[in-house]
Amino acid sequence: MSTTKTPLEYTNEPERHDLRTLLVRKDAPFNAEPTPLDLVKHYITPVPHFFCRSHGPIPDLHEDHTFSLHGIGVHNETMSWSVKEIKTNYKKREVMMAMQCAGNRRDGLHRVKHTKGVIWGPCAVGNAVYGGCRLREILESAGVTTDIPHLGKLHVSFKSIEQCEEGECYGSSIPLTKALDPFGDVLLAYEMNGEPLTRDHGYPLRVIVPGYIGARSVKYLKSITIQDFESNSFFQRRDYKILPQHVEKEEQADIYWQKMPSIGEYNVQSYVCSPPDGLHLGPKKGVAVQGYALSGGGRSIQRVDVSGDDGKTWVEASLYQPSAEGKSTHVWGWCMWTARIDTHMGVRIVCRAVDSSGNIQQEHPIWNYRGVMNNSWRTADKRLDLLL
């Protein structure tokens, strides 16, 4: 029996004229990110400056597209809704959220040693306002509530229409406790920044999981299953995990995929975007510096420190974080920051963020085979023996 995989077709991709300023990291499937300067031009990231993450050909769906729900606790064997029905029958909610790929800043780890994955720079992240219905309300209408037995052991598994290079449709899962949390703000979204989702960003319907890595916000939603185990998807079981540092090849990784936990919430992160990558022309007083910071799990940014002398001294940045204003229980949006720094010849400007739980970025890159969750404040240069 032949095991040759049929190549995927990329003949029906969306027009991307408005994305021409993005840096394409892979053509097919399409993966691209903005430049650092473009990323920090707006607090709410415009779609043309929002990174695109794809695992296969972009589906061409319509508003009559339906998704199904079944599994533990669901009243009927299977329930289904069209996108039109959830727009009509469920109240629209809006959530401002920073979406970040787990591989953001993978290039910094790839310079240390080869990593597996799209070699993202520091801009596989963006902040948008998503509109849709609460997943919690969909689940409750089907009989799945916090009264369900063994709530803490159950998962919500999402399947996508999107076919993937890995040989199956995309899928992922989150704990049911997150989905049912009244302050968790998990959405089934059909809008982004007040407009219908574009095809690249999940049209007509996607999951939005605030505070979690982007891999859990499944696009082109096909089905939801309530079950007592994580998704069996490749992307939950054999990807998006931090493997031990000695694992350098796929054969070595095989014994660890089932041992290591799947990544949920992302870690505290910040980066210098202006001047790009913290690189400058030489010594100067009072250089204007700008960047972003964020943390997972609804944690706000407490402080951003910026240094122009290799971390010997630090200046506290001014923060712009409207998502943290008021009495919000969780902060899902990112923080923008500015500072003025005295620069030194050949010394990169660096930054480090502290979140509301006191988590701080580590100094040096911690290499892992998949190149995920890189949040070091030092950046590996192209010379492997030099950290700036």
Side-chain angles (χ1 to χ4, degrees), residues 29-45:
F30 184 70
N31 288 275
E33 64 183 303
T35 66
L37 289 176
D38 282 341
L39 182 62
V40 293
K41 284 180 177 177
H42 307 275
Y43 183 73
I44 301 298
T45 312

Side-chain angles (χ1 to χ4, degrees), residues 73 75 136 139-149 151 154 176 180:
H75 280 325
R136 178 173 179 259
L139 296 178
E140 288 177 340
S141 69
V144 180
T145 71
T146 54
D147 294 328
I148 193 171
L151 171 63
L154 300 181
L176 180 58
L180 290 177

